[in-house]
Amino acid sequence: MTVTDLLIDTGRVDLDGFDRALGDPADPASPLSYARSAELDRAEQFPGDICRELDRMGLPRMYVPAEFGGALARYDELVAALRAVARRDLTVAIGHGKTFLGGVCMWLAGGPEQARELGADIVAGAPVSWGLTERGHGSDLLAGEMTATPEPGGGFRVHGEKWLINNATRGTLLCLLVRTRTEGGPRGFSLLLADKRRLPADRWRPLPKVPTHGIRGADISGIALDDCPFPAGALIGEQGAGLEIVLKALQLTRTACTALSLGAADQAVRLAEEFAEQRALYGRRLIELPHVRRVLGEAYAALYAAEIVSVLAARSVHTLPQEMTVISAVAKSYVPTRVDELIAACGELLGARAFLTEVHEHGAFQKLERDHRVVGIFDGSTFVNQHVLINHFPVLVRGHQEGTADEEAVGRAAALSAPPPPARLDRLSLLARGGCSFTQGLHTASGELRALASAGEAPARVAELSDELTDACDRLHRELAPIPPASQDVQPEAFALARRYEDCFAGAAALRVWLHNRTPGEDPLWLEAVLTYVLRSLRPPGRPTDGEVFDRLFDARTAGRPAAPPTSVVTS
């Protein structure tokens, strides 16, 4: 079965079918089994055979926009496809999905012929890497030292190294950020596509694989270029526009990276719940203990909050591209961080088995815990993304005060049964001048929920939580007002405010999902749980959180009653 086979008349991808084709990871015969993943992890071996199977299934088509010969038409479907792989093995999802990250600058700024050529290579299974970072510079892209000197007759001579690059050795092609002005600066960098098949063999060499604690089998290495000639056609976009293209591309890649965390969360909850069902303690099954039920119920609430943020961020690429610099930073900071906390909570339930490598699904939990630690670093660490958010505090405050929310766009992002409009990547911006429509529209959303509660169509308790969230968001924006735009000396308090903003966004997104997808008589239990979860960090210190709703959420799930938001294109 291929992705092409999974395309249906509406142009959507049958991701349920794709998920079924990947099989049950507990089955040793499935393409992505726990047993095979553990074997490769112990050997620190790249999962090449599994990636080739994903190629055969046609997954690379999801990394290429439809206009360039692929199947990517909806970014929420891309998130769902990567999540389906990640819930089985993060190393595979990271190693294979990196090709999307490597190609995205071309989709934003390349010429049509260039993009179609790269698209054809990707569809054929050629791995593509993204060479941004260098030894000693980390995320400081303006400090990059790989230089590309323009040649008088066209083309460039490139010298330098890129390091800690995913798939740098395996990659057939690499998108490189290079310095094209000696003085550097915002207009001093450009993007070049390195095609190893066409580079002189004596002018480049791979750098050794770097051993890592997690994703042990991944190709984390680098490339060194020594006065290597590049043709003029290797340039992506305009000369000097490299940094701007990268910063816009990060808005897409950060959003896609949240799929990795969702898959890890799916796997962590599954492993913890299966263990609790099988394990006996004090004469009872572990899952019957009140504390265990509470932990698992809260884990589901955390997972729902994360997937709502991820899916709505992906749909916002289509409906709110001008706000994606904020939305993607929130998503990339919020989702991996909360999933790290979820994994830790599930690990406590497993006890020693969370650390063992040979028991309980071949030690899958200790592997996913190690693997997921790196996700928060990809495409800008949590602090880097919160720094982006802090830089936007003034415009977020202004937008909140002026009430400039784009209600139609928010509704189209949240109405999950309707396909989003085509993505307008040309509208991506480095500054969300109008702020963030999700948090700005909280008063509107809370008012709708209050009206439904008054009419008996929603529980009063959920309306109370919605009002509390709205008040907390208003209070937060008053605290943001005196904070200056970020500098190199950002105070710790600003990062704490950024985290609270992420919770406000998550709560606002959850409200919209329920309001735009509800059915008459539906019990909004999942919404109550998510709002309770996000409000914990927004409430004044000393006010306890009633966790009883997490017990009810867990009981509803185990009883087979609907208790999940409709945000997952593929159910876990």
Side-chain angles (χ1 to χ4, degrees):
M1 181 179 296
T2 69
V3 168
T4 304
D5 296 330
L6 296 173
L7 291 174
I8 57 178
D9 291 341
T10 62
R12 290 197 61 183
V13 175
D14 176 10
L15 289 160
D16 281 324
F18 177 64
D19 189 61
R20 288 192 299 272
L22 293 176
D24 182 353
D27 179 2
S30 72
L32 284 86
S33 69
Y34 291 139
R36 178 60 175 155
S37 294
E39 178 186 357
L40 293 169
D41 186 64
R42 287 191 295 270
E44 300 190 16
Q45 179 181 340
F46 187 84
D49 56 340
I50 301 176
C51 286
R52 283 188 291 273
E53 179 65 15
L54 294 177
D55 290 345
R56 187 194 67 78
M57 295 172 68
L59 182 58
R61 290 179 60 83
M62 289 296 294
Y63 306 149
V64 180
E67 61 264 37
F68 302 130
L72 176 58
R74 292 179 48 167
Y75 283 83
D76 55 343
E77 291 182 339
L78 172 63
V79 165
L82 288 174
R83 178 181 182 178
V85 178
R87 71 163 57 97
R88 292 162 171 84
D89 189 341
L90 265 174
T91 301
V92 174
I94 290 167
H96 198 277
K98 183 66 179 185
T99 289
F100 170 74
L101 278 63
V104 72
C105 288
M106 183 68 80
W107 316 145
L108 285 174
E113 185 176 344
Q114 269 185 313
R116 283 191 290 269
E117 183 177 346
L118 178 60
D121 273 329
I122 291 174
V123 169
V128 184
S129 189
W130 202 11
L132 299 183
T133 56
E134 300 178 10
R135 196 187 305 265
H137 300 311
S139 59
D140 185 2
L141 300 183
L142 285 172
E145 296 181 60
M146 178 176 276
T147 59
T149 304
E151 293 276 79
F156 302 86
R157 309 289 292 196
V158 182
H159 185 85
E161 295 184 0
K162 292 293 181 181
W163 184 69
L164 282 186
I165 306 301
N166 192 356
N167 283 347
T169 299
R170 288 186 64 254
T172 303
L173 302 107
L174 296 92
C175 177
L176 302 174
L177 180 68
V178 296
R179 182 185 290 256
T180 44
R181 287 183 182 175
T182 304
E183 68 274 18
R187 300 295 298 179
F189 292 82
S190 304
L191 289 166
L192 296 177
L193 185 65
D195 187 338
K196 292 178 180 176
R197 298 167 299 188
R198 301 171 185 173
L199 297 181
D202 61 341
R203 294 296 181 178
W204 69 274
R205 59 185 170 85
L207 299 180
K209 171 180 163 64
V210 180
T212 52
H213 180 62
I215 57 169
R216 289 176 177 170
D219 170 22
I220 307 297
S221 53
I223 187 170
L225 301 167
D226 182 14
D227 198 31
C228 187
F230 277 62
L235 181 67
I236 301 174
E238 296 180 2
Q239 187 171 322
L243 189 64
E244 179 180 352
I245 297 168
V246 165
L247 293 177
K248 290 180 178 178
L250 285 169
Q251 297 172 28
L252 303 179
T253 63
R254 287 168 175 166
T255 302
C257 281
T258 62
L260 305 174
S261 292
L262 295 185
D266 290 338
Q267 189 180 157
V269 173
R270 169 181 171 162
L271 292 170
E273 194 164 15
E274 287 178 346
F275 174 75
E277 288 175 345
Q278 299 164 5
R279 177 70 169 167
L281 192 66
Y282 311 124
R284 303 166 65 185
R285 288 188 306 147
L286 197 62
I287 205 164
E288 295 172 354
L289 301 179
H291 172 68
V292 173
R293 292 169 53 245
R294 174 69 58 85
V295 170
L296 288 172
E298 187 170 337
Y300 276 113
L303 173 57
Y304 296 160
E307 75 177 15
I308 286 168
V309 170
S310 173
V311 172
L312 263 61
R315 290 176 64 90
S316 293
V317 172
H318 300 263
T319 67
L320 289 163
Q322 71 279 10
E323 297 181 11
M324 278 305 297
T325 186
V326 166
I327 294 173
S328 63
V330 168
K332 181 57 174 59
S333 176
Y334 181 88
V335 176
T337 301
R338 302 317 187 273
V339 170
D340 272 336
E341 296 167 357
L342 179 156
I343 291 172
C346 290
E348 290 183 5
L349 294 185
L350 270 76
R353 285 162 180 78
F355 301 92
L356 301 180
T357 60
E358 302 292 337
V359 299
H360 193 55
E361 300 294 6
H362 306 272
F365 193 90
Q366 57 82 31
K367 180 181 183 303
L368 85 87
E369 190 272 339
R370 285 186 286 107
D371 288 351
H372 187 259
R373 291 188 190 184
V374 75
V375 177
I377 301 172
F378 283 155
D379 292 38
S381 67
T382 297
F383 286 126
V384 167
N385 283 287
Q386 288 182 337
H387 199 280
V388 172
L389 190 55
I390 293 166
N391 262 326
H392 276 81
F393 279 177
V395 295
L396 292 173
V397 171
R398 185 169 63 248
H400 197 76
Q401 292 171 341
E402 297 174 355
T404 55
D406 187 337
E407 287 291 335
E408 180 183 359
V410 169
R412 297 187 78 177
L416 302 178
S417 61
R424 286 286 306 276
L425 302 186
D426 59 316
R427 294 185 60 201
L428 294 175
S429 173
L430 301 186
L431 179 67
R433 293 176 175 81
C436 178
S437 292
F438 281 97
T439 52
Q440 290 166 16
L442 256 177
H443 281 274
T444 299
S446 291
E448 290 181 27
L449 187 53
R450 200 179 312 114
L452 290 170
S454 298
E457 297 180 39
R461 174 59 180 157
V462 177
E464 291 170 2
L465 292 171
S466 174
D467 286 340
E468 183 183 353
L469 174 67
T470 303
D471 291 342
C473 191
D474 288 342
R475 184 170 62 251
L476 172 63
H477 281 82
R478 289 194 293 271
E479 294 181 55
L480 299 183
I483 306 295
S487 65
Q488 291 183 342
D489 299 317
V490 182
Q491 297 302 305
E493 293 77 12
F495 289 100
L497 293 172
R499 180 177 172 117
R500 284 168 57 194
Y501 186 90
E502 295 165 14
D503 282 305
C504 286
F505 181 96
L511 273 177
R512 292 294 185 163
V513 167
W514 188 78
L515 287 170
H516 289 277
N517 300 278
R518 69 184 186 89
T519 56
E522 176 188 354
D523 179 9
L525 174 58
W526 69 260
L527 176 60
E528 181 183 351
V530 168
L531 291 179
T532 301
Y533 171 77
V534 301
L535 279 166
R536 290 188 311 180
S537 65
L538 295 172
R539 285 172 171 154
R543 179 175 173 180
T545 295
D546 182 5
E548 177 269 341
V549 66
F550 304 132
D551 302 336
R552 287 190 283 119
L553 181 65
F554 178 76
D555 290 343
R557 282 192 57 89
T558 55
R561 298 195 304 274
T567 39
S568 297
V569 180
V570 176
T571 57
S572 58

